[in-house]
């Protein structure tokens, strides 16, 4: 029970679409004045022309060649995931895995996305935590592989990339990580940092943030907003609002899990006590039944002995009668 509740709580916090994608309200013009008409631009279908992607800007120069090109859809990723799994997903996990595929897809199809070892560490951390209590371990591994393939990634490659960071983090401290995020040294973290620093369109995603949180855990660093803000803003040189928000959500989740663990331990203790009481009652009932049976057996034995004595008396009387007849 405890493992299932843990998994459901964690999945619902990390894998729901609403936690990855912000809701966009339709933009409308105020309807004040006689001749102002309200317009809902969210219903207007986008149109493209020959000039799409040809603006005189750094962004257009870098990504303009992608204008008008087909983008893999969420449904295509979902189809790949389902086909790769090749079997039904446990009902408690089905909706959550569907949302996780969708939200991971939305990150990966972004033209700015670059898979790096820290992002890979976040991906592995999330899948490990979400599926660690899945009833069928082999199928859980298959879902991880299928999730990666659904977004055109290789799960084995992701694990290998993640291990580079986790192995490097062993024995390191917060300042070692900060130095690497400043681009100092030749570690994988420093390489990721230098790439990000040199990319004005570098994309932050939640898996990257969770990768940093995992590094905090591996280095024994307290996961605080100050540490996250310093690592991302001061050391990496990127805006830290999203990373701090993801850390807050993660810490809130851990707090809920801690309370849930305490509650479930109390429930487990009560259940064990109830089970012990039931076993004790059964033992007492068995003993009482055995004692009653013994009393019955003893009573029957006494009755049998009495019958034997009576039979012997009857037989003796018959022998006396026979003897008296002979004498007469």
């Amino acid at each position: 029970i405890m493992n299932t509740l843990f998994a459901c709580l964690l999945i619902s916090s990390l894998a729901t679409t609403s936690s990855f994608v912000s809701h966009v309200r339709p933009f409308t013009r105020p309807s004040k004045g006689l001749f102002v008409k309200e317009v809902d631009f969210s219903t207007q279908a986008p149109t493209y022309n020959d000039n799409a992607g040809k603006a005189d800007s750094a962004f257009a120069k870098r990504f303009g060649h992608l204008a008008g090109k087909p983008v893999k859809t969420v449904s295509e990723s979902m189809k790949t995931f389902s086909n790769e799994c090749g079997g039904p997903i446990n009902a408690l996990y089905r909706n959550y895995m569907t949302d996780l595929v969708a939200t991971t897809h939305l990150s990966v199809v972004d033209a700015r996305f670059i898979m790096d070892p820290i992002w890979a560490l976040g991906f592995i951390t999330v899948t490990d935590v979400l599926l660690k209590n899945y009833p069928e371990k082999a199928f859980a591994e298959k879902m991880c592989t299928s999730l990666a393939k659904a977004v055109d990634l290789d799960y084995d490659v992701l694990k290998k990339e993640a291990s580079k960071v986790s192995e490097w983090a062993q024995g390191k401290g917060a300042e070692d990580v900060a130095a690497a995020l400043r681009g100092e040294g030749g570690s994988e973290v420093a390489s990721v940092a230098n790439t990000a620093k040199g990319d004005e369109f570098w994309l932050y995603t939640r898996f990257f943030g969770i990768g940093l949180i995992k590094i905090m855990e591996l280095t024994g660093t307290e996961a605080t907003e100050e540490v996250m803000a310093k690592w991302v803003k001061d050391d990496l040189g990127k805006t830290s609002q999203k990373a701090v928000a993801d850390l807050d959500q993660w810490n809130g989740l851990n707090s809920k899990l801690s309370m849930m663990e305490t509650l479930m331990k109390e429930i487990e203790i009560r259940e064990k006590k109830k089970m012990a009481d039931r076993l004790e009652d059964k033992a007492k009932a068995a003993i009482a039944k055995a004692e009653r049976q013994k009393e019955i057996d003893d009573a029957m034995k006494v009755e049998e002995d009495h019958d034997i004595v009576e039979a012997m008396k009857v037989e003796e009387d018959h022998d006396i009668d026979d003897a008296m007849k002979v004498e007469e």
Side-chain angles (χ1 to χ4, degrees), residues 9 24 52 120 128 140 195:
L9 178 60
V24 180
D128 283 350
T195 299

Side-chain angles (χ1 to χ4, degrees), residues 45-215:
T47 58
Y48 301 95
N49 54 46
D50 294 338
N51 294 322
K54 297 180 180 179
D56 186 16
S57 66
F59 187 88
K61 290 177 181 178
R62 179 172 174 182
F63 301 107
H65 66 285
L66 299 174
K69 290 188 176 181
V71 178
K72 187 177 181 179
T73 64
V74 174
S75 61
E76 289 173 333
S77 291
M78 279 305 310
K79 183 177 181 181
T80 301
F81 175 74
S82 299
N83 291 340
E84 290 297 321
C85 283
I89 298 174
N90 185 290
L92 291 174
Y93 291 78
R94 188 179 304 121
N95 290 337
Y96 305 123
M97 288 305 300
T98 298
D99 284 346
L100 185 57
V101 172
T103 51
T104 305
H105 164 91
L106 293 176
S107 294
V108 174
V109 297
D110 192 306
R112 299 168 294 167
F113 172 77
I114 298 176
M115 192 280 287
D116 59 60
I118 297 178
W119 188 92
L121 181 61
F123 181 99
I124 298 300
T125 299
V126 169
T127 53
D128 283 350
V129 172
L130 295 186
L131 297 173
K132 68 178 180 180
N133 296 313
Y134 194 81
E136 302 172 26
K137 299 302 180 184
F139 194 76
E141 180 79 11
K142 193 171 186 180
M143 281 194 289
C144 294
T145 304
S146 301
L147 171 61
K149 192 165 186 178
V151 293
D152 300 319
L153 296 174
D154 188 309
Y155 186 62
D156 290 333
V157 172
L158 290 172
K159 288 196 295 184
K160 185 177 179 180
E161 291 298 307
S163 67
K164 293 178 181 178
V165 177
S166 58
E167 290 172 3
W168 171 85
Q170 299 296 329
K172 300 293 192 304
E175 185 50 42
D176 295 317
V177 180
L181 289 173
R182 290 194 294 269
E184 301 173 7
S187 68
E188 292 292 336
V189 175
S191 177
V192 171
N194 285 323
T195 299
K197 288 175 180 293
D199 187 354
E200 62 177 316
F201 302 115
W202 178 79
L203 176 68
Y204 170 87
T205 63
R206 178 160 295 184
F207 282 159
F208 186 90
I210 294 176
L212 291 178
I213 296 171
K214 183 63 177 180
I215 292 175

Side-chain angles (χ1 to χ4, degrees), residues 269-307:
I269 292 172
R270 288 199 296 269
E271 288 298 322
K272 286 182 177 180
K273 187 177 183 302
K274 289 180 181 179
M275 182 178 294
D277 291 341
R278 288 194 295 269
L279 291 174
E280 184 178 358
D281 291 340
K282 287 182 179 180
K284 288 180 178 179
I287 292 173
K289 182 178 179 181
E291 290 176 347
R292 289 196 301 271
Q293 187 63 43
K294 186 176 183 301
E295 291 175 357
I296 293 172
D297 292 342
D298 291 344
M300 291 180 66
K301 184 176 181 182
V302 170
E303 185 68 24
E304 289 176 356
D305 292 343
H306 177 73
D307 292 343

